[in-house]
Amino acid sequence: MDISTSDAAWKNVECNWLVVGVTESPDLSGPLGELDTALSGTISRLIEAGDLKGKLAELLPLHDAPGVAADRVLFVGLGKSDELTRARFEKAAMSAVRKVSSKADTSAAICLLGSGIGAVSSSVAAETAATAIVVGSQGQDSLKAEPGHFPLAAASIVVSDGDQSETAAAVERGTILGESINLTRDLVNLPPEIIYPESFAKRAQAVAAELGLKVEVLGQSDLEAEKMGALLAVSQGSSSDRGPRVVSVSYAGAGEDAPTLAIVGKGVTFDSGGLSLKTSDGMITMKCDMAGAATALGAVAAIARLKLPVNVVGYMGLVENMVSATSYKLGDILTARNGVTIEVQNTDAEGRLVLADVLNYAVDKGADKIVDLATLTGACVVALGEEVTGAFTNDQEWCDTITTAAATAGENIWQMPMFDHFGDLLKSDVADCRNIGGRWGGAISAAKFLEKFVEKTPWVHLDIAGPSFASSNSSHREGGSTGCMVRTLVEAAASLAE
């Protein structure tokens, strides 16, 4: 999407919707005051009547706006100016974009104050607004005859003063982030008859070809040669029809001697639970169980398009976990790529088995730092809710880098403990370990399982089971895939480049 920038007076911007942010107790001077004058004092009257309160993400459309070039004006609340953060601004911008993108062939302009508001600078606001325009105008209903949202026919971001070149750069970055988030959302939202290991791999190859990136795809025989016994076991139930793939996409933005960041994603394109079969309610959204792999691809694409001076490889472990006569069974003992034997006590604890081999593969390929993403455990959702990603690590400095990146990106992460006694829950009488650790602390014991396969490499595991998929629509967010953590990974990569 092409998003333009402008420093025109707000009243002179021609578009279908002029989107104007208003704080609580706004200062009616500068551009907002000029707009009020052009509207013959309408803004002042709305505030005095209590109709325009400026509450966060509150929308007030003005369908008749004589005196300005725009057809209509949409006021969106920003809340209290001293409480405004990037995340709050994004919520407001997304709410506004979702409102104005409900019809096709619509043009919109988002008006920003050049000096920014509160802790949100003008450039951060421009970047965030651009991302909101791209993401907020695309729904999860691409297969419906009549979608609920449409990409804007024309979009612009109007900054009243400030460096226009800086604004343009911020808008370009925000657009790239939005398009990369939408890549992740597309992959997750499409149904499992469209996205399965082979088709996901082809999509990754297409993205790599478009961006000039190196790509490698390992199929069944390659994975057998790599001795990925844990991953292959999960895929057994559908290997004859939809066999497994491991995809790596490499971006070399720094020198050969520079360190390499590995982004590893769980890609279970559909999870029935295997022989530990899920209920229908538990299975209905399991097309989203490949969100980790989709996020890895989206993040690498963004990092490459932004031309960050860093070396990054995205690794995607792709399988279906299905039921058939060849499905792996409870009581099976698997041998992972690094030789660790694993007693299977639940075939629905499959994501960690996939990640085990791919993490070890990334280590052997020379990763200097690793972050993995997975819709791994319901236990993490129980602990942190649906809006927060759980972080687990073997290296505090690296985890601090990731959590700082998340704070900068406006995404929510909370670090969880990794005490040794959680590893004791994985002890087995018949193998080196088992694949579940019991009922309590399930997200942590899952992370302790993964830790066995990263050796001493600095590693952060992000459990995105909650925030990666929204169960329903809201005013500021589309249901389905959210594309969470793409921006965090980009910020983390940027910090490594620095």
Side-chain angles (χ1 to χ4, degrees):
M1 180 181 291
D2 184 19
I3 304 174
S4 63
T5 60
S6 171
D7 59 357
W10 295 359
K11 64 180 181 179
N12 296 329
V13 178
E14 296 183 1
C15 57
N16 299 130
W17 282 101
L18 187 73
V19 179
V20 178
V22 179
T23 61
E24 296 183 33
S25 304
D27 179 12
L28 288 180
S29 63
L32 187 61
E34 293 172 6
L35 183 64
D36 186 35
T37 300
L39 292 170
S40 302
T42 297
I43 298 176
S44 298
R45 290 193 295 273
L46 289 171
I47 293 172
E48 290 172 5
D51 295 325
L52 182 56
K53 300 176 182 178
K55 299 291 185 183
L56 182 64
E58 191 174 71
L59 302 177
L60 179 63
L62 191 64
H63 293 280
D64 186 20
V68 301
D71 299 333
R72 297 177 291 275
V73 178
L74 179 66
F75 298 106
V76 56
L78 300 177
K80 296 178 180 178
S81 59
D82 59 352
E83 295 180 357
L84 190 63
T85 62
R86 182 174 190 156
R88 286 171 173 257
F89 181 81
E90 180 192 28
K91 182 176 182 178
M94 286 284 286
S95 297
V97 172
R98 282 177 54 75
K99 171 70 175 178
V100 303
S101 64
S102 59
K103 294 182 180 179
D105 300 320
T106 298
S107 61
I110 296 181
C111 298
L112 305 174
L113 294 174
S115 59
I117 300 175
V120 180
S121 68
S122 178
S123 60
V124 168
E127 178 186 314
T128 305
T131 301
I133 287 171
V134 176
V135 176
S137 61
Q138 178 170 311
Q140 63 172 326
D141 50 6
S142 62
L143 300 181
K144 291 181 67 174
E146 297 182 7
H149 293 277
F150 302 85
L152 295 176
S156 64
I157 294 176
V158 183
V159 180
S160 56
D161 55 55
D163 188 338
Q164 288 298 307
S165 62
E166 181 179 332
T167 300
V171 168
E172 181 181 10
R173 176 182 167 88
T175 302
I176 289 172
L177 289 172
E179 291 172 349
S180 300
I181 289 168
N182 278 350
L183 168 61
T184 294
R185 293 175 63 221
D186 283 342
L187 286 165
V188 177
N189 283 335
L190 286 171
E193 77 267 20
I194 295 178
I195 295 297
Y196 46 91
E198 182 181 3
S199 64
F200 187 113
K202 289 181 178 178
R203 182 74 179 271
Q205 288 174 308
V207 170
E210 180 184 352
L211 299 177
L213 305 180
K214 179 182 177 182
V215 62
E216 182 180 36
V217 179
L218 304 181
Q220 180 80 27
S221 60
D222 304 305
L223 299 174
E224 290 171 356
E226 287 288 345
K227 299 181 179 180
M228 293 194 184
L231 180 150
L232 286 167
V234 178
S235 73
Q236 283 175 196
S238 60
S239 60
S240 61
D241 300 311
R242 290 183 170 174
R245 299 287 189 276
V246 169
V247 178
S248 62
V249 177
S250 305
Y251 165 70
E256 292 184 2
D257 297 331
T260 297
L261 166 63
I263 302 174
V264 179
K266 169 189 170 183
V268 180
T269 59
F270 188 75
D271 181 20
S272 70
L275 294 179
S276 303
L277 194 66
K278 295 178 182 288
T279 64
S280 292
D281 286 346
M283 207 184 300
I284 191 67
T285 59
M286 281 300 102
K287 66 179 183 179
C288 80
D289 216 20
M290 36 66 75
T295 305
L297 182 60
V300 173
I303 290 165
R305 290 184 62 189
L306 290 167
K307 296 181 172 59
L308 297 183
V310 65
N311 295 334
V312 180
V313 183
Y315 295 93
M316 291 141 266
L318 306 169
V319 302
E320 284 187 343
N321 185 25
M322 298 296 288
V323 177
S324 75
T326 59
S327 296
Y328 78 124
K329 302 167 181 68
L330 282 77
D332 281 353
I333 297 179
L334 316 177
T335 302
R337 186 176 183 276
N338 66 348
V340 171
T341 56
I342 305 163
E343 178 190 2
V344 177
Q345 291 200 342
N346 189 324
T347 64
D348 197 22
E350 85 298 330
R352 64 200 70 183
L353 299 175
V354 173
L355 285 173
D357 282 337
V358 183
L359 285 168
N360 179 252
Y361 183 70
V363 169
D364 283 356
K365 286 291 185 178
D368 296 285
K369 294 183 186 297
I370 299 175
V371 57
D372 80 68
L373 305 100
T375 49
L376 203 66
T377 66
C380 199
V381 186
V382 172
L384 299 178
E386 295 182 329
E387 306 288 339
V388 181
T389 293
F392 309 77
T393 191
N394 65 353
D395 185 281
Q396 190 58 50
E397 183 178 357
W398 177 224
C399 191
D400 289 344
T401 298
I402 297 296
T403 54
T404 299
T408 301
E411 298 191 287
N412 296 320
I413 280 182
W414 191 261
Q415 185 176 350
M416 301 287 279
M418 287 283 280
F419 300 126
D420 289 343
H421 69 267
F422 285 101
D424 294 339
L425 299 174
L426 298 168
K427 289 181 177 179
S428 166
D429 294 332
V430 295
D432 294 327
C433 64
R434 55 182 183 167
N435 74 325
I436 57 172
R439 181 178 181 184
W440 308 117
I444 304 171
S445 61
K448 295 297 288 185
F449 178 89
L450 297 179
E451 189 179 23
K452 298 177 182 293
F453 303 93
V454 297
E455 299 180 5
K456 299 297 183 181
T457 307
W459 156 79
V460 171
H461 160 58
L462 298 178
D463 194 328
I464 58 174
S468 66
F469 197 86
S471 56
S472 61
N473 294 337
S474 64
S475 62
H476 71 282
R477 186 178 64 190
E478 182 79 3
S481 176
T482 64
C484 77
M485 294 294 115
V486 169
R487 286 171 297 177
T488 291
L489 293 172
V490 170
E491 288 290 343
S495 69
L496 290 180
E498 293 171 0

